[in-house]
Amino acid sequence: MTSPVSPSPRERRLDYVEFASTDPAASRRFFSAVFGWTFVDYGPDYTAFDDGRLQGGFFRGSPATTAAGAALLVIYADDLAPVAEAVAAQGGQVVKPVFSFPGGSRFQFVEPGGNELAVWSERDPA
């Protein structure tokens, strides 16, 4: 009798994500300063990141926003206010201020390379 083989924890899970960025170096500076991501550059047109749980990269290109149908990637933070302040201080633009939804609250921003992302928290900002 053959024992079943357990699948890898990575099996059929998101494993890597890539973003188009008008300026990969600016995206790198922003995400490093605001979120503490680490980076490895592969020339002027690609930089790979590690956020401590997920890896990915930024390549030189034209990003799309959610209004154009792009997927919205959402980052978690215990407290939204200091993250929103850091986003603005590092050249990001909050495009949807903090709003509540069942289960928490979030805001959406565009980083200097043109990508729209969101940050959510289980806390209600009220």
Side-chain angles (χ1 to χ4, degrees):
M1 186 171 213
T2 308
S3 63
V5 176
S6 297
S8 161
R10 293 167 54 175
E11 181 70 21
R12 300 180 190 199
R13 305 282 191 264
L14 287 176
D15 192 53
Y16 198 86
V17 61
E18 290 188 327
F19 296 91
S21 172
T22 58
D23 186 344
S27 294
R28 176 190 183 169
R29 286 189 299 274
F30 177 84
F31 285 97
S32 179
V34 177
F35 297 102
W37 296 3
T38 59
F39 286 83
V40 174
D41 292 332
Y42 295 96
D45 294 328
Y46 195 89
T47 186
F49 70 82
D50 186 331
D51 76 356
R53 190 171 84 172
L54 181 66
Q55 295 178 337
F58 290 92
F59 62 91
R60 188 171 305 280
S62 298
T65 61
T66 58
L72 181 66
L73 278 78
V74 184
I75 299 166
Y76 182 81
D78 285 329
D79 189 0
L80 295 181
V83 179
E85 291 170 9
V87 163
Q90 294 299 320
Q93 179 184 7
V94 174
V95 294
K96 287 190 181 178
V98 175
F99 63 92
S100 296
F101 62 89
S105 56
R106 79 174 195 208
F107 70 92
Q108 289 170 219
F109 67 93
V110 174
E111 55 93 12
N115 289 287
E116 182 179 355
L117 290 94
V119 181
W120 87 281
S121 177
E122 293 172 318
R123 296 181 186 179
D124 192 332

